[in-house]
Amino acid sequence: MKATYQFTGRLLICCADRPGIVARVSQFLYALGANILDASQHSTDPREGLFFMRMEFHLENSTSDRHAFEASFAESVANPMQMDWRIDYPDHRKRMGIFVSAYDHCLQELLWRWRSGELKVDIPLVISNHESLRAEVESFDIPFHYLPVTKENKAEQEAQALALLANTGIDFIVLARYMQILSPTVVERMPGRIINIHHSFLPAFAGARPYLNAYTRGVKLIGATAHYVTNELDEGPIIEQDVARVSHRHSVEDLVMLGKDIERQVLTRAVKAHVDDRVIVHGNKTIVF
Amino acid sequence: MKATYQFTGRLLICCADRPGIVARVSQFLYALGANILDASQHSTDPREGLFFMRMEFHLENSTSDRHAFEASFAESVANPMQMDWRIDYPDHRKRMGIFVSAYDHCLQELLWRWRSGELKVDIPLVISNHESLRAEVESFDIPFHYLPVTKENKAEQEAQALALLANTGIDFIVLARYMQILSPTVVERMPGRIINIHHSFLPAFAGARPYLNAYTRGVKLIGATAHYVTNELDEGPIIEQDVARVSHRHSVEDLVMLGKDIERQVLTRAVKAHVDDRVIVHGNKTIVF
Amino acid sequence: MKATYQFTGRLLICCADRPGIVARVSQFLYALGANILDASQHSTDPREGLFFMRMEFHLENSTSDRHAFEASFAESVANPMQMDWRIDYPDHRKRMGIFVSAYDHCLQELLWRWRSGELKVDIPLVISNHESLRAEVESFDIPFHYLPVTKENKAEQEAQALALLANTGIDFIVLARYMQILSPTVVERMPGRIINIHHSFLPAFAGARPYLNAYTRGVKLIGATAHYVTNELDEGPIIEQDVARVSHRHSVEDLVMLGKDIERQVLTRAVKAHVDDRVIVHGNKTIVF
Amino acid sequence: MKATYQFTGRLLICCADRPGIVARVSQFLYALGANILDASQHSTDPREGLFFMRMEFHLENSTSDRHAFEASFAESVANPMQMDWRIDYPDHRKRMGIFVSAYDHCLQELLWRWRSGELKVDIPLVISNHESLRAEVESFDIPFHYLPVTKENKAEQEAQALALLANTGIDFIVLARYMQILSPTVVERMPGRIINIHHSFLPAFAGARPYLNAYTRGVKLIGATAHYVTNELDEGPIIEQDVARVSHRHSVEDLVMLGKDIERQVLTRAVKAHVDDRVIVHGNKTIVF
């Protein structure tokens, strides 16, 4: 008697737009007995001519395991159609590392949603350049690593961080108000896998002290932006943004306090989209299905 | 030499969920050479077990005309899979009738978006139980029909309206703050084809005078709801809703004025979704793709 | 040498509208050397003819202490003008009691904002009819009281709760998703001092299971309402409300999860307004300055 | 027998913060028998030490006319307290000039709200560098002036415009998507009296083609900003802003269409705040009461 497999997969595809893509993918899945649970697609403007798709499917009683499934999909669909693709399985809990400095609000929000089961990840470590949040992190039974950073030791500190990430099998990292700029070598090792929360509505007020700048400019809304980190500071692909209304009554301190609420919400939504494999990065933009 | 046809179609499908639906539909389209321009699908909770799909496709050089296409789809896909389905073609401009009383804001918004080309419909008539908006409507070169209504003549007035709708080939009607309740016989003749704007966030403040009720209750947000009309007053399937923030500073008159802005926006979005064939009504709810 | 006093006060006033109120109050304060830090006023519609004011002032080198100040204000301003008034002092930290059942999200949010210093209250106790949140509460060094409730012991349980509130000098209580209805006798002892978070946009979906009802009705926005508790269930004066957009894609479980975020935000804003003495209750409505 | 006067006034004040300002102003008004209808004040951070106030009052049976009232207020209150102040009277309908190019949406919105009585201004003229909106404007019985502009004739065209503004007694102008940059000499003649609508959430995407830039950057919200025009392009004091959510599904054309809705709403709110004398400009920021 032959072994059978069952699994749910999330297929993310990007390729040149042309007739027959949906037919071919869905036919391939149907032939294996898969049920499509959810599907979204997006065709860009004909001038760009690109096709993006996310398909979540479930296979019962498959005679192929995941590896065989992937090989077969590559050979019979993806390669002939020159697809850029990846597949993830929700039963593989992604391993999320958190980098934090001294602000606790984004960290708190992530840990709390993780504990409540809403954020379906493992968190093998939190890395900080300050000691101050150790007790908080350890109260969740999560290892806390204090890696102080200075101009002089930056290369060494990052090497230590990378070693920790490698040893714990981290899939992606979240900069939960980590007030350091990562070196290009770190960023390049994790393309599309480092999420940052910037405390402004980018591209307005990129750089440091955005709330002070927003106050000085007298804007009537403030915002926050979650984006993938690239080596262009605050220029990476945006995943999620939101704003809140402010007025002349708000001091800079009020903007900071209100901003924290937006940061928590925006970062959470971005992390959830990433964890659920809803984000495709293309160039400097995202498709969030 | 055989004639060829080209057309864009929008297929809306509802059926029991099971493997192979997407494959079968997309395979059918691909075999005819169609390109899928946009597709959305929704599977309900397994307890309900329903599948909804909207697929917009384009056919070049088809040897079937629309009628043959539909017959073939019914025979080879829809009937075997027991689908509830319909198809619309964007090059068929829907014919929209507007019913209005004395408030002009929703009427204005629709006429203006129609004239700017944003609302891709024909408007063969406006029917009103008041004369007051005649000049406004006629300035857009749209026929205005004054059909006053009283308790006594209601059946007769509605018969006149129905005759006008039939003569002008109206596809759907919009009650742009028409302050009359249509008789069940009228509603039953146009299921899913009468859109109303209710001036509250339903189900709060159903019935008459919602702004006064909102004021009395001291709510901090007011809203508007666009929904399909059924014979349960203010209980039909909701297409779109929105709200705006209010405070103790707003008088009832302020709520009415602010409410008009929400009504205009909400009604416009609902009408556009209907015109673009993005709405499937199922039971008393909508799927808006 | 005479003793001098310095204090900041927040004066809340409601009276019949007529000329000279602002002049009289501000003249009274100026004569004592007070600086007005913030002032807001609201005159209702002439038909109602009411005047509301909140004035925050600071006194340096006052020869009166608070008690003498209040007596003097009553005698020379409030009584002659038949004002309904109260005064609070921000250096008196209000003492907040929290009632909770098994949901932790609103509790968490309050405790967290309290610890960060954003919520300027003391929290002498949390009362729950379940044991499950004890560890969480105690990790904040706040006493947790488990008072299980049944139909039979309700009167006794409430008596215990009232005794605890009295012993700890509680100023107001927050029902942070406390799934019990307080008896009229309890409510009547704390008018305008019990804040509840209802998990819907009231008056839509009052009562139990609002998210299920919202799902069934197919609304496109869900909300939450913070209000003072009265003996009319879910009918008390509304302090704050907010909504979030939903669609057919949201299951009941999704609505619950999304709703929690709105509940946390809305309850926090309402509690802060109460703590900052920004809320005047008049009849069944609030003025939130 | 002496003549008596009655009028409603709106007093706007900016001065150094110190005790007694409210007392002195309200005492002055009370002594004349004025009733305060509405009052708002704002004290900045002590480091800035500024005080702003808007007070709307009504005088019955005043023995002073407006001129005498103003002289008396200057002498006994404003000058001694070194106030920067102005007063407006709601029964003086402001005279609003509109500048427009070829886009009609902002123009339409203003004209329509004016006709409905919601915007309480007179509109003695619309000036455009295109002929295309003449019929639209004239259908409202408003004079339309076609003043084409080129690099060569710009000085002359602006002189013509200024002459028209002077002849018609214009109080303020609205650039309702007027695609020209006014010369410094024009701007300097009307400080705080030229309102522009910029089609982005400033300071993001200042300059030309903001929707294209927003599309290219992949933002998840787009916005609009109404501000007073200064000689720093897109840098003048912001009156109002708002945003709408967008996604990868929106083409540049969609952003333009959606943006028009935001522009209309934002510009309308800014113009209403200006007309109701709710805006104080201080430095490069606004206080909007």
Side-chain angles (χ1 to χ4, degrees), chain A residues 117-138:
Chain A
E118 194 181 319
L119 204 52
K120 296 179 199 325
V121 294
D122 291 331
I123 307 181
L125 89 174
V126 172
I127 290 175
S128 181
N129 57 333
H130 293 274
E131 267 288 12
S132 53
L133 295 172
R134 176 182 294 278
E136 185 55 34
V137 171
E138 292 181 348

Side-chain angles (χ1 to χ4, degrees), chain D residues 97-111 123 125-137 142-149 157 161 173-180 182 195-197 263 267:
Chain D
I98 302 176
F99 282 52
V100 70
S101 289
Y103 289 115
D104 70 341
H105 57 290
C106 287
L107 173 74
Q108 273 281 1
E109 188 76 23
L110 293 172
L111 296 182
I123 307 180
L125 88 176
V126 172
I127 290 175
S128 180
N129 58 333
H130 293 275
E131 267 288 12
S132 53
L133 296 172
R134 176 182 293 278
E136 184 56 34
V137 171
I142 293 173
F144 178 90
H145 299 273
Y146 170 48
L147 298 185
V149 64
Q157 192 252 18
I173 64 178
V174 177
L175 308 185
R177 298 295 307 276
Y178 181 62
M179 314 298 278
Q180 303 294 318
L182 297 176
I195 298 173
N196 184 46
I197 179 74
E263 294 167 31
L267 180 59

Side-chain angles (χ1 to χ4, degrees), chain A residues 26-37:
Chain A
S26 58
Q27 192 58 46
F28 174 85
L29 291 171
Y30 181 55
L32 297 173
N35 192 17
I36 296 173
L37 303 177

Side-chain angles (χ1 to χ4, degrees), chain C residues 74-136:
Chain C
E75 190 189 326
S76 59
V77 182
N79 294 348
M81 299 194 96
Q82 295 178 282
M83 289 173 171
D84 195 1
W85 68 289
R86 71 172 206 262
I87 188 164
D88 281 285
Y89 304 93
D91 65 3
H92 166 72
R93 282 172 79 88
K94 289 188 180 60
R95 296 174 72 77
M96 175 172 94
I98 302 177
F99 281 54
V100 70
S101 288
Y103 289 115
D104 70 342
H105 57 288
C106 287
L107 172 73
Q108 274 281 2
E109 187 76 24
L110 293 172
L111 295 183
W112 179 20
R113 298 212 189 228
W114 166 76
R115 189 175 61 188
S116 75
E118 193 182 320
L119 204 51
K120 296 179 198 327
V121 294
D122 291 332
I123 307 181
L125 88 176
V126 172
I127 290 175
S128 180
N129 57 332
H130 294 273
E131 267 288 13
S132 52
L133 296 172
R134 176 182 294 278
E136 184 56 33

Side-chain angles (χ1 to χ4, degrees), chain B:
Chain B
M1 204 182 88
K2 226 178 149 181
T4 61
Y5 304 89
Q6 66 168 60
F7 52 89
T8 297
R10 293 168 182 156
L11 201 49
L12 298 175
I13 289 168
C14 169
C15 63
D17 199 5
R18 58 163 161 162
I21 305 171
V22 177
R24 194 132 169 197
V25 175
S26 57
Q27 192 59 46
F28 174 85
L29 291 171
Y30 180 56
L32 296 173
N35 192 17
I36 296 174
L37 304 176
D38 192 45
S40 306
Q41 65 172 77
H42 173 59
S43 299
T44 62
D45 196 279
R47 286 163 290 186
E48 296 179 85
L50 290 169
F51 176 87
F52 299 91
M53 187 163 67
R54 178 187 186 273
M55 215 172 239
E56 184 163 348
F57 61 89
H58 184 70
L59 262 171
E60 286 281 336
N61 302 315
S62 167
T63 54
S64 313
D65 65 4
R66 295 168 195 209
H67 188 260
F69 173 89
E70 293 176 24
S72 169
F73 181 75
E75 192 189 325
S76 58
V77 182
N79 293 349
M81 301 194 95
Q82 295 177 281
M83 289 173 171
D84 194 1
W85 69 289
R86 69 172 207 264
I87 189 166
D88 281 286
Y89 304 92
D91 66 2
H92 166 73
R93 282 172 79 87
K94 287 189 180 59
R95 295 174 73 76
M96 174 172 95
I98 302 176
F99 281 52
V100 70
S101 287
Y103 290 115
D104 69 342
H105 57 288
C106 288
L107 173 72
Q108 275 280 2
E109 188 75 25
L110 293 172
L111 295 182
W112 180 33
R113 296 211 190 230
W114 166 76
R115 189 175 60 190
S116 74
E118 193 182 320
L119 203 53
K120 296 179 198 326
V121 294
D122 291 332
I123 308 181
L125 87 176
V126 172
I127 290 174
S128 180
N129 57 334
H130 294 274
E131 268 286 15
S132 52
L133 296 171
R134 176 181 294 278
E136 185 55 35
V137 171
E138 291 180 349
S139 78
F140 286 83
D141 287 325
I142 292 173
F144 177 91
H145 299 272
Y146 170 48
L147 298 184
V149 64
T150 61
K151 257 186 201 168
E152 290 69 34
N153 80 344
K154 181 161 179 162
E156 188 190 344
Q157 191 253 15
E158 290 190 339
Q160 288 177 297
L162 286 171
L164 284 167
L165 298 178
N167 291 341
T168 50
I170 290 296
D171 289 304
F172 73 104
I173 64 179
V174 176
L175 308 184
R177 299 295 307 277
Y178 181 63
M179 313 299 279
Q180 303 294 321
I181 297 169
L182 298 176
S183 301
T185 50
V186 176
V187 172
E188 280 154 17
R189 285 174 66 158
M190 303 189 80
R193 297 196 288 132
I194 307 176
I195 297 172
N196 184 45
I197 179 73
H198 184 76
H199 44 321
S200 92
F201 179 78
L202 290 173
F205 310 122
R209 310 187 66 107
Y211 293 123
L212 178 60
N213 293 332
Y215 177 82
T216 305
R217 182 64 186 89
V219 290
K220 302 300 185 188
L221 298 168
I222 58 163
T225 304
H227 64 97
Y228 287 113
V229 174
T230 62
N231 282 321
E232 305 296 313
L233 184 63
D234 298 335
E235 291 286 332
I238 293 171
I239 309 169
E240 173 63 341
Q241 302 189 287
D242 213 340
V243 294
R245 191 159 284 274
V246 297
S247 77
H248 59 271
R249 293 185 198 280
H250 290 78
S251 65
V252 178
E253 293 71 28
D254 293 335
L255 299 187
V256 168
M257 204 184 293
L258 186 55
K260 286 179 177 179
D261 288 349
I262 318 172
E263 294 167 31
R264 288 158 60 191
Q265 298 275 342
V266 166
L267 180 59
T268 297
R269 295 203 292 260
V271 170
K272 285 171 97 168
H274 180 89
V275 169
D276 292 346
D277 303 303
R278 299 197 169 280
V279 190
I280 299 180
V281 175
H282 180 74
N284 205 42
K285 295 167 71 169
T286 61
I287 288 90
V288 183
F289 282 122

Side-chain angles (χ1 to χ4, degrees), chain A residues 231-245:
Chain A
N231 283 321
E232 306 295 314
L233 183 65
D234 297 336
E235 290 287 332
I238 293 170
I239 309 169
E240 173 64 340
Q241 304 188 287
D242 213 341
V243 294
R245 191 158 284 274

Side-chain angles (χ1 to χ4, degrees), chain D residues 11 24 28 66-83 85 87:
Chain D
L11 201 49
R24 194 133 167 197
F28 173 85
R66 295 169 195 208
H67 188 261
F69 173 89
E70 292 176 25
S72 169
F73 181 75
E75 191 190 324
S76 57
V77 182
N79 294 349
M81 300 193 95
Q82 295 177 280
M83 289 172 171
W85 69 289
I87 188 165

